[in-house]
Amino acid sequence: MRRIAVTTAGGDAPGMNACLRAIVRSAIYYGLEVVGIEEGYWGLIEDKKRRMDLRSVSGIISWGGTILKTKRCEEIKTKKGIEKATRVLKRNRIDGLITIGGEGSFKGGIEIYRASRIPLVGIPASIDNDIAGTEDTIGFDTAVNTALDSIQKIRDTASSHERIFIIEVMGRERGFISLAVGLACGAEIILVPEIKYNLSKISQELEKGRKSGKKSSIIVMAEGAGASYAIAHQIRDVTGYEVRVSVIGYIQRGGSPTARSVNLANLFGHQAVKVLMRTKSAKMVGWKEGKVVVLPLGYSTKHRKEIDKNLYRLAHILAI
Ligand code: F6P
């Protein structure tokens, strides 16, 4: 193996830059050349690249976003797109590819590997933490802390006005952020797409809380768990309490990564280079019980990662 390529694909996540730095520095340390593919798989198809030397990643360890940029790419889901990507990799004499991204990017990676037979390693980076095969993803901890910081500010006004706040966090399909943030901020109610809820029961719980002396309440919900404004209207109509909605949104995707996100990026990036040097297939790195593990890339697409229902129950108990 002489020349490897790296790309950041799908939605960005804080810590992707730290991961690029770890990959570039590790690869050069082991005597490899590194090519950076710009704008994810779209840039791969379009052959948008740059040479990554030691200094190309200087100073980026604490930056949010990705210096290589990223783009959602529909074409990579097609046969034609995969063929184009394969041609570009071969033309550039790339011996191995590292993709930093989420589940969608891993699906694309599997197809690229199948068509090209160029060894590939996927590094899980997604604020959603919804990738099977890893307990943690680059960016998740940062997004959770960003949301938590905002909620602590909202708590001030919620308590001054004695209002109920519905706070919508990211997670179109999964509730990992909502659950972690809800537990950490002491939310009265947590809504996730994975668990059905009943709005009249929730209203009753809020009323019970008021009767037991609670002056304000926080509901943390994942964006995919329902329509926040409609839920707010319904709770207001049933309880008569003042309800407000705050959507935290894309703030969660940006900002400096936390130490946890950076160090996960450092460990994943370094290990991905080592795996790439010895594998002939498509792999992913993951985090399990305090260690970096290596799995077939297909694991992430064949399995579904489940939220920890015990945490959900714990949040409920602690909110009485
Ligand atoms: O995958 C991360 C995520 O931020 C989701 O939580 C969110 O629903 C989605 O990306 C937004 O995607 P886009 O960047 O395409 O708007």
Side-chain angles (χ1 to χ4, degrees):
M1 183 156 301
R2 214 173 59 80
R3 179 183 289 138
I4 67 165
V6 59
T7 196
T8 48
D12 61 352
M16 278 183 161
N17 278 323
C19 192
L20 285 171
R21 172 181 175 273
I23 291 165
V24 170
R25 299 260 169 103
S26 302
I28 294 174
Y29 176 84
Y30 292 120
L32 302 172
E33 250 179 66
V34 189
V35 175
I37 310 281
E38 294 167 0
E39 299 185 67
Y41 293 145
W42 180 84
L44 175 59
I45 289 169
E46 297 294 320
D47 200 3
K48 289 192 73 184
K49 59 184 184 293
R50 64 169 101 153
R51 178 84 185 271
M52 309 286 284
D53 61 21
L54 286 175
R55 300 285 77 82
S56 69
V57 289
S58 292
I60 68 168
I61 191 167
S62 60
W63 294 0
T66 157
I67 58 163
L68 286 181
K69 315 255 188 245
T70 182
K71 215 179 202 146
R72 305 273 183 200
C73 175
E74 287 304 313
E75 206 179 348
I76 205 69
K77 296 177 186 161
T78 67
K79 200 166 164 244
K80 215 166 136 206
I82 295 292
E83 280 166 7
K84 277 196 206 165
T86 300
R87 274 200 298 277
V88 172
L89 288 170
K90 301 251 165 160
R91 192 164 63 228
N92 287 295
R93 285 172 287 116
I94 301 297
D95 304 314
L97 174 64
I98 298 180
T99 292
I100 309 170
E103 202 205 345
S105 312
F106 285 8
K107 274 190 190 139
I110 290 169
E111 295 309 320
I112 294 169
Y113 169 74
R114 275 195 192 131
S116 67
R117 293 287 146 186
I118 292 171
L120 190 146
V121 180
I123 299 185
S126 158
I127 63 160
D128 289 337
N129 195 20
D130 57 351
I131 304 168
T134 184
E135 291 165 4
D136 201 358
T137 54
I138 296 170
F140 173 65
D141 183 65
T142 309
V144 167
N145 279 291
T146 300
L148 188 60
D149 182 59
S150 302
I151 294 174
Q152 275 149 1
K153 292 183 173 90
I154 291 169
R155 261 228 191 264
D156 292 343
T157 177
S159 105
S160 303
H161 286 263
E162 302 195 342
R163 283 173 172 159
I164 291 170
F165 259 88
I166 298 188
I167 297 158
E168 187 184 301
V169 297
M170 274 191 153
R172 205 161 27 203
E173 275 146 45
R174 311 305 308 277
F176 294 95
I177 296 181
S178 178
L179 184 55
V181 169
L183 185 61
C185 79
E188 275 65 31
I189 310 277
I190 299 174
L191 303 181
V192 293
E194 294 89 341
I195 299 177
K196 279 205 180 109
Y197 54 86
N198 176 325
L199 280 184
S200 16
K201 231 173 123 191
I202 287 174
S203 301
Q204 279 167 19
E205 276 178 40
L206 292 166
E207 280 170 337
K208 211 167 123 198
R210 282 278 158 123
K211 282 185 193 131
S212 76
K214 282 192 189 229
K215 301 286 184 217
S216 62
S217 300
I218 298 284
I219 300 175
V220 174
M221 68 175 286
E223 58 177 321
S228 44
Y229 286 91
I231 294 174
H233 283 138
Q234 233 173 303
I235 293 177
R236 191 198 54 204
D237 291 348
V238 176
T239 61
Y241 302 145
E242 274 196 280
V243 188
R244 294 288 188 271
V245 175
S246 199
V247 178
I248 299 185
Y250 286 87
I251 290 174
Q252 292 157 99
R253 283 251 290 261
S256 284
T258 57
R260 180 162 176 82
S261 289
V262 170
N263 283 335
L264 200 60
N266 284 334
L267 292 166
F268 278 173
H270 179 72
Q271 189 64 26
V273 171
K274 291 205 328 195
V275 172
L276 196 60
M277 286 192 303
R278 60 169 195 254
T279 189
K280 296 225 172 317
S281 63
K283 302 276 192 204
M284 67 174 275
V285 289
W287 187 253
K288 192 162 184 250
E289 292 164 6
K291 282 199 185 73
V292 179
V293 290
V294 180
L295 301 98
L297 189 60
Y299 185 93
S300 63
T301 54
K302 284 191 206 107
H303 297 80
R304 181 179 156 91
K305 181 168 166 183
E306 295 304 336
I307 59 160
D308 186 346
K309 298 220 168 113
N310 289 322
L311 293 184
Y312 187 79
R313 278 191 283 274
L314 174 63
H316 194 72
I317 293 170
L318 300 185
I320 54 170

